[in-house]
Amino acid sequence: QVELVESGGGLVQAGGSLRLSCTASGGTVSSYSMGWFRQAPGKEREFVGALSHNSFNTMYADSIKGRFTISRDNLKNTVFLQMNSLTPEDTGVYFCAGNPNRYYPSRYPTDYNSWGQGTQVTVSS
């Protein structure tokens, strides 16, 4: 199990961009496929995107529509989520998560066994 800490959230106007970071300790992100999830108040946690350990296999939620990009720098033990063209519907707490199946990203939270505490993203209109 790896410990994950997210950072980079904040308040941004619609149309703006943010880059979230997720740094690991007690393990290496290269041992995991990594995912990003988000949760708005009163809603279930939803999948955003995921990336295999070698970046060869990616998947994104349909709602992203090319606006977000997940990447990793294994040498820095960090995973990123670049978010562009943000809308108020993107508001929520964003979590990074580690999946011990390093080769196959998953959109299901139950496949992940390591979670960060989350970072708040608020998009104003």
Side-chain angles (χ1 to χ4, degrees):
Q1 187 174 1
V2 62
E3 296 182 4
L4 304 172
V5 178
E6 303 95 337
S7 63
L11 176 64
V12 64
Q13 292 184 340
S17 299
L18 284 173
R19 189 175 77 158
L20 307 183
S21 299
C22 174
T23 300
S25 62
T28 59
V29 296
S30 63
S31 298
Y32 301 83
S33 60
M34 299 294 296
W36 286 94
F37 295 79
R38 66 187 182 187
Q39 187 169 22
K43 296 185 178 180
E44 295 183 348
R45 190 168 299 184
E46 67 173 343
F47 172 73
V48 176
L51 183 70
S52 65
H53 75 111
N54 56 11
S55 301
F56 288 174
N57 192 7
T58 62
M59 61 170 55
Y60 295 94
D62 291 340
S63 61
I64 298 304
K65 297 183 178 180
R67 297 181 298 116
F68 294 3
T69 302
I70 186 171
S71 62
R72 63 166 69 220
D73 187 339
N74 288 339
L75 294 178
K76 296 182 178 179
N77 217 20
T78 301
V79 177
F80 305 96
L81 181 67
Q82 178 67 48
M83 304 186 294
N84 300 322
S85 301
L86 287 163
T87 72
E89 288 72 30
D90 296 316
T91 294
V93 178
Y94 283 69
F95 302 88
C96 68
N99 181 348
N101 188 335
R102 69 175 67 183
Y103 299 104
Y104 300 103
S106 172
R107 64 181 179 179
Y108 302 109
T110 54
D111 289 334
Y112 295 80
N113 63 6
S114 300
W115 292 85
Q117 295 298 309
T119 185
Q120 177 70 43
V121 173
T122 303
V123 184
S124 64
S125 59

